Short mmCIF file of all heavy atoms in Angstrom, two decimals:
data_model
loop_
_atom_site.label_atom_id
_atom_site.label_comp_id
_atom_site.label_asym_id
_atom_site.label_seq_id
_atom_site.Cartn_x
_atom_site.Cartn_y
_atom_site.Cartn_z
N ILE A 209 -53.48 200.93 82.70
CA ILE A 209 -54.78 201.19 82.09
C ILE A 209 -55.04 202.69 82.03
O ILE A 209 -55.49 203.22 81.01
CB ILE A 209 -55.90 200.47 82.86
CG1 ILE A 209 -55.71 198.95 82.80
CG2 ILE A 209 -57.27 200.84 82.27
CD1 ILE A 209 -56.76 198.16 83.54
N GLN A 210 -54.73 203.40 83.12
CA GLN A 210 -54.93 204.85 83.11
C GLN A 210 -54.21 205.52 81.95
O GLN A 210 -54.72 206.48 81.37
CB GLN A 210 -54.45 205.45 84.43
CG GLN A 210 -55.31 205.15 85.64
CD GLN A 210 -54.91 205.97 86.84
OE1 GLN A 210 -54.73 207.18 86.74
NE2 GLN A 210 -54.77 205.32 87.99
N SER A 211 -53.05 205.00 81.58
CA SER A 211 -52.26 205.62 80.51
C SER A 211 -52.94 205.53 79.16
O SER A 211 -52.54 206.23 78.21
CB SER A 211 -50.88 204.96 80.44
OG SER A 211 -50.99 203.59 80.06
N LYS A 212 -53.96 204.70 79.05
CA LYS A 212 -54.68 204.52 77.78
C LYS A 212 -56.00 205.30 77.75
O LYS A 212 -56.70 205.29 76.73
CB LYS A 212 -54.94 203.03 77.53
CG LYS A 212 -53.66 202.22 77.34
CD LYS A 212 -53.95 200.73 77.24
CE LYS A 212 -52.71 199.96 76.82
NZ LYS A 212 -51.55 200.17 77.69
N ILE A 213 -56.35 205.97 78.85
CA ILE A 213 -57.67 206.59 78.98
C ILE A 213 -57.61 208.09 78.71
O ILE A 213 -56.71 208.78 79.17
CB ILE A 213 -58.24 206.34 80.39
CG1 ILE A 213 -58.57 204.85 80.58
CG2 ILE A 213 -59.48 207.19 80.65
CD1 ILE A 213 -59.06 204.49 81.97
N LEU A 214 -58.59 208.57 77.96
CA LEU A 214 -58.88 209.99 77.82
C LEU A 214 -60.30 210.21 78.33
O LEU A 214 -61.17 209.36 78.14
CB LEU A 214 -58.75 210.47 76.38
CG LEU A 214 -57.33 210.51 75.80
CD1 LEU A 214 -56.90 209.13 75.29
CD2 LEU A 214 -57.24 211.52 74.64
N LEU A 215 -60.56 211.36 78.93
CA LEU A 215 -61.80 211.59 79.66
C LEU A 215 -62.77 212.47 78.89
O LEU A 215 -62.41 213.51 78.34
CB LEU A 215 -61.48 212.26 81.01
CG LEU A 215 -60.51 211.50 81.91
CD1 LEU A 215 -60.15 212.35 83.12
CD2 LEU A 215 -61.08 210.16 82.34
N MET A 216 -64.05 212.04 78.89
CA MET A 216 -65.12 212.80 78.25
C MET A 216 -66.37 212.73 79.13
O MET A 216 -66.35 212.12 80.19
CB MET A 216 -65.42 212.23 76.85
CG MET A 216 -65.88 210.78 76.84
SD MET A 216 -66.12 210.16 75.15
CE MET A 216 -66.80 208.53 75.49
N HIS A 217 -67.44 213.38 78.70
CA HIS A 217 -68.71 213.35 79.42
C HIS A 217 -68.55 213.89 80.85
O HIS A 217 -69.00 213.30 81.82
CB HIS A 217 -69.28 211.93 79.45
CG HIS A 217 -70.77 211.87 79.64
ND1 HIS A 217 -71.37 212.08 80.85
CD2 HIS A 217 -71.78 211.63 78.77
CE1 HIS A 217 -72.67 211.97 80.75
NE2 HIS A 217 -72.95 211.70 79.47
N TYR A 218 -67.89 215.03 80.96
CA TYR A 218 -67.62 215.63 82.26
C TYR A 218 -68.51 216.86 82.47
O TYR A 218 -69.16 217.35 81.55
CB TYR A 218 -66.14 216.02 82.37
CG TYR A 218 -65.55 216.64 81.13
CD1 TYR A 218 -65.84 217.96 80.76
CD2 TYR A 218 -64.70 215.90 80.31
CE1 TYR A 218 -65.28 218.53 79.63
CE2 TYR A 218 -64.15 216.46 79.16
CZ TYR A 218 -64.43 217.77 78.83
OH TYR A 218 -63.90 218.33 77.69
N GLY A 219 -68.51 217.36 83.69
CA GLY A 219 -69.35 218.50 84.04
C GLY A 219 -68.65 219.82 83.82
O GLY A 219 -67.47 219.89 83.44
N ASP A 220 -69.38 220.89 84.10
CA ASP A 220 -68.86 222.23 83.86
C ASP A 220 -67.76 222.64 84.84
O ASP A 220 -67.15 223.70 84.67
CB ASP A 220 -70.00 223.24 83.92
CG ASP A 220 -70.87 223.21 82.67
OD1 ASP A 220 -70.39 222.73 81.62
OD2 ASP A 220 -72.03 223.66 82.74
N THR A 221 -67.51 221.82 85.86
CA THR A 221 -66.42 222.13 86.78
C THR A 221 -65.08 221.60 86.27
O THR A 221 -64.09 221.63 87.01
CB THR A 221 -66.69 221.52 88.18
OG1 THR A 221 -66.82 220.10 88.06
CG2 THR A 221 -67.96 222.11 88.78
N ARG A 222 -65.02 221.17 85.04
CA ARG A 222 -63.77 220.62 84.50
C ARG A 222 -62.54 221.48 84.80
O ARG A 222 -61.50 220.95 85.18
CB ARG A 222 -63.90 220.39 83.00
CG ARG A 222 -62.54 220.03 82.39
CD ARG A 222 -62.47 220.15 80.89
NE ARG A 222 -61.10 220.42 80.48
CZ ARG A 222 -60.62 220.22 79.25
NH1 ARG A 222 -61.42 219.76 78.32
NH2 ARG A 222 -59.38 220.49 78.96
N PRO A 223 -62.58 222.83 84.62
CA PRO A 223 -61.35 223.61 84.85
C PRO A 223 -60.75 223.41 86.24
O PRO A 223 -59.53 223.49 86.41
CB PRO A 223 -61.81 225.05 84.64
CG PRO A 223 -62.96 224.94 83.69
CD PRO A 223 -63.67 223.68 84.10
N GLU A 224 -61.59 223.12 87.22
CA GLU A 224 -61.09 222.90 88.58
C GLU A 224 -60.31 221.60 88.69
O GLU A 224 -59.56 221.40 89.66
CB GLU A 224 -62.25 222.89 89.57
CG GLU A 224 -63.08 224.17 89.58
CD GLU A 224 -64.33 224.02 90.42
OE1 GLU A 224 -64.39 223.09 91.25
OE2 GLU A 224 -65.26 224.84 90.24
N TRP A 225 -60.48 220.71 87.72
CA TRP A 225 -59.85 219.40 87.76
C TRP A 225 -58.62 219.29 86.88
O TRP A 225 -57.95 218.26 86.87
CB TRP A 225 -60.87 218.33 87.37
CG TRP A 225 -61.90 218.13 88.43
CD1 TRP A 225 -63.07 218.82 88.59
CD2 TRP A 225 -61.84 217.19 89.50
NE1 TRP A 225 -63.75 218.36 89.69
CE2 TRP A 225 -63.02 217.36 90.27
CE3 TRP A 225 -60.92 216.22 89.89
CZ2 TRP A 225 -63.28 216.59 91.40
CZ3 TRP A 225 -61.17 215.45 91.01
CH2 TRP A 225 -62.35 215.64 91.75
N ASP A 226 -58.31 220.33 86.12
CA ASP A 226 -57.12 220.28 85.29
C ASP A 226 -55.89 220.03 86.17
O ASP A 226 -55.67 220.71 87.18
CB ASP A 226 -56.94 221.59 84.52
CG ASP A 226 -57.92 221.71 83.35
OD1 ASP A 226 -58.37 220.66 82.86
OD2 ASP A 226 -58.22 222.84 82.94
N GLY A 227 -55.11 219.02 85.81
CA GLY A 227 -53.93 218.66 86.58
C GLY A 227 -54.20 217.72 87.74
O GLY A 227 -53.27 217.39 88.48
N HIS A 228 -55.46 217.28 87.89
CA HIS A 228 -55.81 216.42 89.02
C HIS A 228 -56.44 215.10 88.56
O HIS A 228 -57.18 214.48 89.31
CB HIS A 228 -56.77 217.15 89.95
CG HIS A 228 -56.22 218.42 90.52
ND1 HIS A 228 -55.27 218.46 91.53
CD2 HIS A 228 -56.46 219.72 90.17
CE1 HIS A 228 -54.97 219.71 91.80
NE2 HIS A 228 -55.67 220.49 91.00
N THR A 229 -56.14 214.69 87.35
CA THR A 229 -56.72 213.45 86.81
C THR A 229 -55.66 212.42 86.47
O THR A 229 -55.88 211.54 85.63
CB THR A 229 -57.58 213.77 85.56
OG1 THR A 229 -56.73 214.37 84.55
CG2 THR A 229 -58.72 214.70 85.90
N GLY A 230 -54.52 212.51 87.13
CA GLY A 230 -53.45 211.55 86.87
C GLY A 230 -52.98 211.63 85.43
O GLY A 230 -52.93 212.72 84.84
N PRO A 231 -52.67 210.48 84.81
CA PRO A 231 -52.21 210.49 83.42
C PRO A 231 -53.34 210.53 82.41
O PRO A 231 -53.10 210.40 81.20
CB PRO A 231 -51.44 209.17 83.32
CG PRO A 231 -52.15 208.27 84.27
CD PRO A 231 -52.59 209.14 85.42
N MET A 232 -54.58 210.73 82.88
CA MET A 232 -55.75 210.68 81.99
C MET A 232 -56.15 212.11 81.61
O MET A 232 -56.74 212.83 82.41
CB MET A 232 -56.91 209.97 82.70
CG MET A 232 -56.62 208.55 83.11
SD MET A 232 -57.95 207.76 84.08
CE MET A 232 -57.79 208.63 85.65
N PRO A 233 -55.86 212.55 80.38
CA PRO A 233 -56.20 213.91 79.97
C PRO A 233 -57.68 214.04 79.60
O PRO A 233 -58.34 213.05 79.27
CB PRO A 233 -55.32 214.14 78.75
CG PRO A 233 -55.17 212.78 78.15
CD PRO A 233 -55.13 211.83 79.33
N PHE A 234 -58.18 215.26 79.64
CA PHE A 234 -59.52 215.54 79.15
C PHE A 234 -59.49 215.63 77.63
O PHE A 234 -58.56 216.17 77.03
CB PHE A 234 -60.03 216.87 79.71
CG PHE A 234 -60.40 216.82 81.16
CD1 PHE A 234 -59.67 217.53 82.10
CD2 PHE A 234 -61.49 216.07 81.59
CE1 PHE A 234 -60.02 217.51 83.44
CE2 PHE A 234 -61.85 216.03 82.93
CZ PHE A 234 -61.10 216.75 83.86
N ILE A 235 -60.54 215.12 76.99
CA ILE A 235 -60.75 215.32 75.56
C ILE A 235 -61.37 216.70 75.38
O ILE A 235 -62.25 217.12 76.14
CB ILE A 235 -61.68 214.24 75.00
CG1 ILE A 235 -61.06 212.85 75.18
CG2 ILE A 235 -62.01 214.49 73.53
CD1 ILE A 235 -62.03 211.71 75.01
#
Side-chain angles (χ1 to χ4, degrees):
I209 297 180
Q210 289 190 48
S211 65
K212 296 174 170 56
I213 292 177
L214 290 83
L215 303 173
M216 61 183 185
H217 204 284
Y218 41 75
D220 284 339
T221 60
R222 171 196 153 161
E224 301 172 18
W225 288 87
D226 285 335
H228 300 285
T229 60
M232 300 175 288
F234 288 113
I235 299 164

